[in-house]
Amino acid sequence: MSAPRRLGVEAGLEAERQLLARVHAGEVDGALLCWRPTDRALVMPRRLARLPGFLAAEADCGALGWPVALRDTGGEPVPQSPAVLNVALAVALPPEEGERERIEAAYLRLCEPLCDWLRGFGLVPGLGEVPGAFCDGRFNVTLGRRKLVGTAQRWRRTGDGRLVVLVHGALLMEDEREAMVEVVNRFYQGCGLDTHCRADSHVALEEWLSAPWSRVEGLASLLGRGWRLSGPPCDVAA
């Protein structure tokens, strides 16, 4: 993977839907998409469109240059911009594990290869919640106890009983923390929610490594091994 695919945010979200659809339809057993936005958007679960004040908050975000886009996975609002590397993995799995176990296993199959990749540069990543981070969760990948990668997932069941998961990671490559936190907080404020995120809860890879975009080569093969596939994932989009 020499460089991630360049897509508009809406096109990137649709490409992830198509990735999941291909695996769900049985066309491939596993697929990987790495993409970098060409524009900006504040991406959030569809359920948030039902919040009181959503339309006003959406207009406020758009005025800041961050139009709202809706995604299929859960979580909370996440800013997307050319500063972000997105990694999406879709794979079909036998329904052998309990729900909690398979959800955690899917996150780890994404996060552990990401951590191995970071360790290859001499960094010391971790996993865990970060107070003050937007879309916080137990499976953040962290550096210096600040959030570097946010994760989310979506599950579907096939007609023959297999389970298909799309697990997604958004890695902040360039430091756009202040603007990102500003728009997230503006959205929460517009919806009347008492939630406040902090820029210092986040970190960009360029704060630890120079020329971070030149270092993504090799990440795809690590992610493929994380899913224990017999070969590299299909549809490595670069």
Side-chain angles (χ1 to χ4, degrees):
M1 186 180 75
S2 58
R5 188 173 173 184
R6 298 303 304 270
L7 295 168
V9 173
E10 292 282 9
L13 296 175
E14 179 58 27
E16 291 187 0
R17 294 185 190 103
Q18 292 302 315
L19 200 74
L20 179 62
R22 288 194 64 195
V23 178
H24 184 262
E27 296 178 18
V28 292
D29 290 329
L32 168 65
L33 172 70
C34 297
W35 64 281
R36 178 184 181 184
T38 57
D39 56 358
R40 286 179 166 189
L42 183 62
V43 182
M44 62 189 67
R46 296 183 184 279
R47 63 177 173 79
L48 296 186
R50 299 191 295 269
L51 286 172
F54 172 82
L55 292 179
E58 181 182 30
D60 286 345
C61 294
L64 290 175
W66 297 84
V68 168
L70 301 177
R71 67 172 186 261
D72 297 330
T73 52
E76 298 294 333
V78 174
Q80 285 281 352
S81 80
V84 175
L85 170 64
N86 291 284
V87 177
L89 283 155
V91 69
L93 301 169
E96 297 172 350
E97 300 170 317
E99 181 177 3
R100 179 182 178 86
E101 289 78 14
R102 67 174 180 260
I103 288 174
E104 292 192 358
Y107 277 128
L108 290 175
R109 286 169 179 156
L110 173 69
C111 293
E112 288 177 350
L114 285 170
C115 288
D116 287 343
W117 177 67
L118 294 168
R119 291 186 191 104
F121 303 121
L123 303 177
V124 184
L127 293 179
E129 297 177 350
V130 179
F134 50 72
C135 200
D136 194 21
R138 291 194 301 124
F139 293 98
N140 297 323
V141 177
T142 63
L143 283 177
R145 298 185 179 180
R146 296 195 288 167
K147 179 176 178 176
L148 176 69
V149 185
T151 57
Q153 59 181 255
R154 181 187 179 197
W155 290 83
R156 293 179 65 183
R157 188 179 295 275
T158 65
D160 60 4
R162 293 185 305 163
L163 291 166
V164 178
V165 62
L166 173 74
V167 60
H168 173 270
L171 192 162
L172 185 59
M173 300 287 281
E174 300 174 11
D175 184 6
E176 202 174 11
R177 296 179 289 123
E178 295 287 348
M180 288 179 164
V181 165
E182 179 186 9
V183 70
V184 172
N185 287 336
R186 182 69 66 89
F187 177 80
Y188 285 136
Q189 182 181 11
C191 291
L193 300 175
D194 187 21
T195 303
H196 186 78
C197 301
R198 303 194 308 269
D200 61 5
S201 295
H202 298 266
V203 67
L205 189 57
E206 73 171 359
E207 297 178 74
W208 289 82
L209 293 174
S210 60
W213 289 106
S214 69
R215 301 173 185 263
V216 299
E217 188 172 358
L219 179 57
S221 61
L222 283 173
L223 290 164
R225 289 200 297 271
W227 289 92
R228 301 176 183 176
L229 301 177
S230 58
C234 303
D235 278 2
V236 177

